[in-house]
Amino acid sequence: MKKTSTRLADGRELIYYDLRDDTVRDAVDRRPLERTHTTSEIRRDPLLGDQVAIASHRQGRTYHPPADQCPLCPTQGDRLSEIPDSSYDVVVFENRFPSLAGDSGRCEVVCFTSDHDASFASLTEEQARLVLDAWTDRTSELSHLPSVEQVFCFENRGEEIGVTLGHPHGQIYAYPFTTPRTALMLRSLATHKEATGGENLFDAVLARELADERIVLEGEHWVAFVPYAAHWPYEVHLYPKRRVPDLLGLDEGARSEFPQVYLELLRRFDRIFGEGEPPTPYIAAWHQAPFGTLEEFDGVTRDDFALHLELFTIRRTSGKLKFLAGSESGMSVFINDVPPERAAERLREVAS
């Protein structure tokens, strides 16, 4: 992998990740852009104890542009985009309309391919490995920023999820705090560790799932399963079999196998609802240990956390979506219409 860092016309950083070491990236952003100004602010909810990002400048962000005006396609002639070069393998750049900025963290866009009509599932294994390497590199770089405590790599796919740009891409949020969902996991880790005399909760969960009927697919280094208490109609958790706290901890065996396992998982998601259905909308979310102090979680260290990816769709059946209504949105109590065992069975049925 070759990494080339440059700057866009408004000062934002852009990084090319190339498969070939001899690739030259010297194109200049020719757009007449002024420096970006954001109003991102983090406010703490005193009752729930969580944080809310107030980012009014995002109201003006690009919204469903026609394909020939996509800002994530490479620049072609006089059609200028966020990517100055006329081609690319993988590109990461600072979001022009970030939810987090400055002392409030950082937001980046990850373009998986220059092909506007592709998807992550259509990438080659070599391309998917390059995306993994880019995620890993960004996790490392962002973790060293003084304002960053947790790095979250994710992909929103599909208009039903709320995606406003059709080009295959994901995002990276670098938070200045430990996110509420991760804090819940850390508290459960601490409670379980104390109650069992030191047993790791992630290890216990993974051992139980490996012995149960909800395994979707399994390799030498990775295992994918529908969790016992799945929140979503079709939800799969992908774990490396060797516990590591973040993407940086993966060894070469796990890195090499990941593209094969993950691409198969995504392709199965697209086949869940049968032929003729539109692509399955999903969220794919990497969970990594925070880089900040864990003193508030008694006895828990970063190495106790288990890196994993959670993949889920809001489509519950053909033509119907799972909406977060009263119980889910009002009380955070999920009601799942699809038994996890049946979801796992279906995901096994649609294997390549």
Side-chain angles (χ1 to χ4, degrees):
M1 177 187 78
K2 181 181 180 182
K3 175 183 174 183
T4 306
S5 180
T6 185
R7 292 282 172 179
L8 296 174
D10 55 8
R12 288 175 294 132
E13 185 179 19
L14 179 143
I15 306 158
Y16 294 97
Y17 292 91
D18 287 296
L19 292 168
R20 293 172 55 97
D21 290 337
D22 59 352
T23 303
V24 176
R25 299 294 185 188
D26 56 7
V28 176
D29 185 3
R30 293 179 281 134
R31 296 173 298 170
L33 298 179
E34 296 182 357
R35 290 266 174 179
T36 55
H37 298 282
T38 62
T39 56
S40 180
E41 176 188 358
I42 302 296
R43 297 184 182 180
R44 183 179 182 276
D45 185 320
L47 294 179
L48 297 180
D50 59 7
Q51 292 85 3
V52 178
I54 309 297
S56 60
H57 62 276
R58 284 174 52 80
Q59 287 281 35
R61 65 188 184 274
T62 308
Y63 186 81
H64 293 299
D68 62 356
Q69 297 178 31
C70 175
L72 305 185
C73 288
T75 289
Q76 297 292 337
D78 292 331
R79 198 195 75 169
L80 309 179
S81 76
E82 289 279 65
I83 296 92
D85 215 322
S86 59
S87 67
Y88 64 84
D89 292 335
V90 172
V91 163
V92 176
F93 60 87
E94 288 184 77
N95 198 321
R96 191 177 178 187
F97 303 96
S99 302
L100 309 166
D103 292 339
S104 296
R106 176 159 158 153
C107 291
E108 299 182 339
V109 176
V110 184
C111 297
F112 303 140
T113 170
S114 61
D115 184 353
H116 182 86
D117 298 317
S119 67
F120 202 118
S122 70
L123 299 181
T124 65
E125 291 186 14
E126 185 180 38
Q127 289 174 306
R129 168 62 189 264
L130 184 61
V131 175
L132 175 64
D133 290 342
W135 281 332
T136 304
D137 181 71
R138 296 316 301 152
T139 296
S140 175
E141 293 292 328
L142 292 170
S143 71
H144 291 98
L145 296 180
S147 63
V148 172
E149 189 165 311
Q150 186 173 356
V151 178
F152 176 45
C153 307
F154 65 100
E155 180 191 3
N156 297 329
R157 193 268 190 108
E159 289 188 23
E160 300 94 327
I161 295 295
V163 174
T164 57
L165 295 176
H167 196 104
H169 72 288
Q171 299 181 66
I172 301 175
Y173 277 22
Y175 298 100
F177 51 80
T178 296
T179 60
R181 189 174 177 87
T182 302
L184 285 173
M185 294 183 194
L186 292 169
R187 291 189 190 101
S188 295
L189 268 174
T191 299
H192 186 84
K193 191 172 186 178
E194 181 179 6
T196 59
E199 183 182 60
N200 183 278
L201 179 58
F202 282 112
D203 291 350
V205 167
L206 188 56
R208 185 175 78 169
E209 295 293 353
L210 283 167
D212 219 316
E213 59 181 311
R214 291 178 301 278
I215 297 294
V216 173
L217 58 88
E218 184 176 357
E220 180 182 355
H221 300 280
W222 295 87
V223 60
F225 57 88
V226 177
Y228 172 74
H231 290 60
W232 299 92
Y234 290 91
E235 175 182 342
V236 176
H237 293 188
L238 178 63
Y239 276 71
K241 291 183 177 179
R242 182 179 69 87
R243 172 164 47 88
V244 295
D246 52 40
L247 289 165
L248 300 168
L250 293 174
D251 60 23
E252 182 54 35
R255 292 183 183 281
S256 295
E257 188 181 76
F258 171 79
Q260 176 186 351
V261 174
Y262 188 50
L263 291 173
E264 171 62 16
L265 195 56
L266 292 180
R267 290 162 187 167
R268 291 192 193 188
F269 254 57
D270 273 343
R271 293 193 291 267
I272 294 173
F273 303 105
E275 296 293 332
E277 286 290 318
T280 301
Y282 65 73
I283 292 175
W286 280 109
H287 292 262
Q288 306 192 79
F291 288 93
T293 176
L294 301 183
E295 291 178 0
E296 64 181 290
F297 308 103
D298 294 339
V300 171
T301 69
R302 289 194 79 250
D303 289 336
D304 289 322
F305 196 86
L307 167 76
H308 64 284
L309 182 139
E310 297 185 8
L311 173 69
F312 62 89
T313 179
I314 62 171
R315 187 179 292 164
R316 57 187 175 89
T317 189
S318 180
K320 297 179 181 179
L321 300 180
K322 163 67 177 177
F323 292 101
L324 299 189
S327 185
E328 292 92 350
S329 294
M331 285 290 143
S332 294
V333 178
F334 276 69
I335 300 169
N336 189 353
D337 300 333
V338 180
E341 292 73 21
R342 174 54 191 151
E345 181 182 16
R346 177 61 181 156
L347 285 161
R348 291 193 295 268
E349 290 173 351
V350 295
S352 299

